Amino acid sequence: MAFIDYYKLLEIDKAASADQVKKAYRKLARKYHPDVNPNDEEAHKKFQQINEANEVLSDPEKRKKYDAYGENWQHADEFERQKQSQSQYQGQGQSGSYSDFGGSFDGGDFSDFFSSMFGNQGKSRQQAQYKGQDYNAELQLNLRDILNTHKQTITVNGKNLRITVPAGIADGQVIKLKGHGAPGTNNGLSGDLFITFKISDDPEFKRLNEDIYKTVAIDLYTAVLGGEITVETLDGKVKLKVPEGTQNGTKVKLKNKGLPVYKKEGSFGSLIINYDIKIPVNLSEEQKEAFRNLSKL
């Protein structure tokens, strides 16, 4: 897989603050969100990459490793252990220093690095360790499934694994579970499990980040005279007052009736109602005459 520069992907500088990372992520996530770009595979791929970049750069520990090791950041712990092993090995009488080898882990795999450190003699004293293969899985959910953080069981490589599904998780978002991939070689680290969340479309609600949108039909008489209607939300029914003279396409925002904000407990998006005024059809002559009289007024 080609190396992706997370900073370039989020269009930020390497010195960007945590708030700047968050702001850049939200801006691009809105731009490339699958709901905004239906049936656009390139936009969907970009959205996944943006989520991946945010997952790393918004985590101080992961970002530190990424800044130090670049594309090899996921192997940072292995490299650090080998540096420590080399230091201990040199303390037993071996010459040379870390700087003799350029001090860089860019390019080549782990076995190349180990060989350059110890040579054939080192290999005879300690076998190289290899991280296990990463696994990938998908979990299908609907909007109501992500209203609350909850547990779900998934099957990966024939094994059942109980995972936590965070409230408000995005469609296409990827979460890594460290150490749940294939076992490593020679006591190497186990691989990781990458779970891609697929949030299915809802017949009533359309999602944009933590906000949801719904079209509600109201009759002409209620629109003209005003009244009260009952609207179904994701977590129950609410009553709304419709003002006199409501126009077609009028939008009403219900705060805190949207989806929970990802990893921000107690924060919710909004439900935006769009009124669709239904014009009566199949009127009787008496009803038509009433409208004629109204038009003259």
Side-chain angles (χ1 to χ4, degrees):
M1 181 182 294
F3 172 63
I4 300 174
D5 187 325
Y6 291 152
Y7 289 102
K8 283 186 177 180
L9 189 65
L10 293 183
E11 301 173 5
I12 55 176
D13 187 82
K14 286 189 176 182
S17 66
D19 285 341
Q20 288 173 321
V21 171
K22 182 179 180 181
K23 184 177 179 180
Y25 163 70
R26 288 194 168 185
K27 175 184 175 182
L28 292 171
R30 282 193 293 268
K31 179 179 179 181
Y32 292 103
H33 196 282
D35 287 348
V36 180
N37 304 276
N39 304 318
D40 188 336
E41 289 298 324
E42 283 302 314
H44 182 67
K45 180 180 178 182
K46 189 86 169 180
F47 182 73
Q48 289 180 309
Q49 291 174 339
I50 290 166
N51 273 298
E52 179 183 323
N54 180 62
E55 194 77 24
V56 173
L57 298 185
S58 63
D59 185 309
E61 190 62 31
K62 291 179 183 177
R63 183 175 179 177
K64 181 180 178 181
K65 293 178 182 178
Y66 180 79
D67 288 344
Y69 294 97
E71 62 183 300
N72 297 306
W73 74 272
Q74 295 188 57
H75 301 289
D77 292 338
E78 297 173 33
F79 292 149
E80 291 298 327
R81 279 200 303 275
Q82 293 309 316
K83 283 168 62 179
Q84 185 177 6
S85 296
Q86 181 210 9
S87 177
Q88 294 172 347
Y89 185 58
Q90 289 171 352
Q92 296 171 1
Q94 295 296 318
S95 62
S97 67
Y98 172 60
S99 60
D100 291 340
F101 304 99
S104 173
F105 297 98
D106 293 336
D109 60 16
F110 178 77
S111 60
D112 294 333
F113 164 70
F114 188 84
S115 177
S116 70
M117 282 292 186
F118 297 99
N120 292 331
Q121 182 180 4
K123 287 184 179 179
S124 65
R125 295 176 67 112
Q126 180 176 349
Q127 287 185 312
Q129 296 176 324
Y130 297 92
K131 182 181 177 182
Q133 179 185 357
D134 291 336
Y135 290 156
N136 292 280
E138 283 189 2
L139 182 58
Q140 295 281 348
L141 302 169
N142 59 51
L143 285 183
R144 288 175 173 80
D145 289 332
I146 60 173
L147 286 176
N148 300 288
T149 297
H150 66 283
K151 299 281 188 179
Q152 282 212 18
T153 300
I154 62 173
T155 302
V156 179
N157 202 35
K159 294 182 179 180
N160 290 333
L161 180 65
R162 192 159 178 79
I163 66 169
T164 298
V165 178
I169 195 161
D171 178 46
Q173 189 166 341
V174 179
I175 287 182
K176 182 179 79 171
L177 298 183
K178 191 173 182 180
H180 286 279
T185 303
N186 296 328
N187 294 319
L189 292 174
S190 294
D192 302 318
L193 170 62
F194 293 86
I195 302 175
T196 301
F197 290 84
K198 298 290 188 181
I199 315 300
S200 60
D201 293 333
D202 189 275
E204 289 187 60
F205 303 94
K206 297 298 179 184
R207 178 186 188 183
L208 183 57
N209 298 322
E210 59 266 18
D211 292 335
I212 53 176
Y213 295 77
K214 179 176 182 175
T215 297
V216 174
I218 59 175
D219 60 62
L220 179 63
Y221 313 107
T222 302
V224 172
L225 302 174
E228 188 176 78
I229 61 172
T230 300
V231 175
E232 187 81 39
T233 71
L234 281 173
D235 61 352
K237 296 180 179 180
V238 296
K239 289 186 176 181
L240 296 179
K241 288 186 177 180
V242 179
E244 293 181 11
T246 294
Q247 301 297 304
N248 189 50
T250 296
K251 290 180 173 56
V252 177
K253 178 185 284 189
L254 304 182
K255 291 184 177 180
N256 298 319
K257 284 297 182 179
L259 293 171
V261 180
Y262 180 67
K263 288 192 175 179
K264 196 171 181 181
E265 190 174 351
S267 295
F268 296 84
S270 300
L271 169 60
I272 292 88
I273 302 293
N274 179 65
Y275 286 140
D276 179 23
I277 299 173
K278 294 301 181 184
I279 304 299
V281 295
N282 301 322
L283 297 176
S284 67
E285 281 302 320
E286 184 179 359
Q287 290 170 323
K288 290 179 182 179
E289 186 61 29
F291 274 104
R292 293 189 191 102
N293 292 332
L294 282 173
S295 68
K296 293 175 183 178
L297 293 175

